[in-house]
Amino acid sequence: MCGIVGLFLKDKSLEPQLGNLLSDMLITMTDRGPDSAGIAIYGGAGSGKGKVTVQSATPQADFAGLEEALAKAGFAASVTVKSTHAVIEVASDKVAGVREALAGIRPSIRIMGAGESVEIFKEIGLPKDVVARFGVRTMGGTHGIGHTRMATESAVTTLGAHPFSTGPDQCLVHNGSLSNHNNLRRELIRQGMQFETQNDSEVAAAYLTSEMEKGKDLGEALTGALSDLDGFFTFVVGTRTGFGVLRDPIACKPAVMAETDQYVAFGSEYRALVNLPGIENARVWEPEPATVYFWDHAKAA
């Protein structure tokens, strides 16, 4: 099961509405996976600032005095608390340092995502509750992806919820199951990748991160996944400026896409797209098996 959605905006006038549009899309997919939900919002790239989204099981204790603790460690940062999550904003060249410092300052904090653009919010619960908890509807941005989960191969936990982020400004949502994730995880660990869960979707995200660290763009990394990943999958992936979709060669997991002059949208089912502006005039299609779909604000793609 699981329900996944994605929205890549071409029209800047829609950017203030991104969180609201994506929230409605995800809530429509609730019955595909009521265990947990999450959304990644991309916005603000190129501002010279970086973001680290963190999560805590004890937010009152972990987030209290966090700005002061980071300042003592040499990082001038602002901390915006949103329920069990917080967004730490810092100079973009300090993001890696903040991640390292947090391990000592607040060892119980977990990092959801980091980079120049992305903020990731995910928790156990229904999409409508997760969206409300983190104020997603008020968030603007250029593109975003979301997921509502029906757990099949690992426990229902915050860390097991999607999106999974394993590299700067990169995250993935997944509907399906990989059969070679254990072997691939071991190989990626040998290459220096670190994992927070035993979830096969985290392995898929780490694979793409590893390939992009070799100099590939998202489209090229997704092409490689067709030969290196075994199983049934539909992926929607975000990068700092890009948005990609891939289905395995059998393509048994449902998927539908729509494109207009204003946006590109993805949903596990068409009903996720029906309230988007101008959908009645959109080009709507089912993405082909083993075919990479890739858009990037930084390229004429």
Side-chain angles (χ1 to χ4, degrees):
M1 291 291 285
C2 295
I4 53 180
V5 297
L7 187 59
F8 178 89
L9 299 180
K10 302 176 185 180
D11 184 348
K12 287 185 175 294
S13 71
L14 288 179
E15 291 181 6
Q17 301 179 50
L18 176 66
N20 193 48
L21 293 170
L22 200 59
S23 295
D24 283 341
M25 293 171 69
L26 186 61
I27 290 169
T28 304
M29 292 289 95
T30 297
D31 58 2
R32 294 194 62 84
D35 298 331
S36 57
I39 279 184
I41 298 285
Y42 287 85
S47 64
K49 295 288 187 178
K51 305 173 186 180
V52 183
T53 310
V54 297
Q55 183 270 350
S56 172
T58 55
Q60 289 186 333
D62 277 336
F63 298 155
L66 183 55
E67 281 188 14
E68 293 79 4
L70 286 168
K72 287 181 181 179
F75 299 98
S78 65
V79 178
T80 302
V81 177
K82 295 187 175 185
S83 185
T84 57
H85 288 46
V87 179
I88 302 168
E89 191 169 303
V90 68
S92 58
D93 62 350
K94 302 296 184 182
V95 168
V98 165
R99 291 189 62 145
E100 185 176 340
L102 285 170
I105 294 169
R106 297 288 194 275
S108 57
I109 276 179
R110 293 293 177 264
I111 294 173
M112 299 290 99
E116 294 182 25
S117 178
V118 73
E119 297 179 21
I120 297 175
F121 303 93
K122 59 183 187 178
E123 272 293 0
I124 296 169
L126 298 174
K128 69 178 181 64
D129 297 326
V130 172
V131 163
R133 186 175 197 168
F134 299 115
V136 175
R137 288 192 181 276
T138 65
M139 298 181 67
T142 56
H143 55 298
I145 63 177
H147 186 276
T148 185
R149 185 180 184 221
M150 179 174 285
T152 56
E153 43 60 60
S154 60
V156 179
T157 64
T158 299
L159 288 180
H162 300 216
F164 282 99
S165 180
T166 53
D169 284 316
Q170 181 248 312
C171 65
L172 169 145
V173 293
H174 172 208
N175 181 21
S177 180
L178 301 181
S179 57
N180 66 333
H181 61 97
N182 286 324
N183 288 338
L184 188 54
R185 182 186 288 108
R186 285 190 287 269
E187 175 59 30
L188 290 168
I189 289 172
R190 283 194 289 269
Q191 295 176 21
M193 297 296 298
Q194 296 181 342
F195 292 88
E196 295 276 1
T197 74
Q198 293 300 308
N199 194 293
D200 62 336
S201 303
E202 187 180 15
V203 175
Y207 167 83
L208 295 176
T209 297
S210 175
E211 293 300 293
M212 287 188 282
E213 286 178 349
K214 298 172 185 176
K216 296 181 180 180
D217 64 19
L218 176 57
E220 292 166 337
L222 288 170
T223 299
L226 288 168
S227 57
D228 293 337
L229 302 183
D230 292 331
F232 304 113
F233 55 83
T234 295
F235 298 139
V236 179
V237 186
T239 66
R240 186 175 66 85
T241 58
F243 173 86
V245 172
L246 179 66
R247 302 173 82 194
D248 68 82
I250 297 176
C252 64
K253 299 299 180 180
V256 63
M257 300 194 71
E259 184 171 14
T260 72
D261 291 339
Q262 292 184 295
Y263 57 79
V264 179
F266 175 95
S268 291
E269 301 176 37
Y270 177 73
R271 59 194 171 107
L273 314 180
V274 294
N275 291 320
L276 290 173
I279 189 65
E280 64 277 5
N281 299 314
R283 180 174 74 93
V284 179
W285 77 99
E286 180 181 351
E288 294 290 333
T291 302
V292 173
Y293 297 87
F294 174 49
W295 292 264
D296 197 319
H297 287 297
K299 298 181 179 180

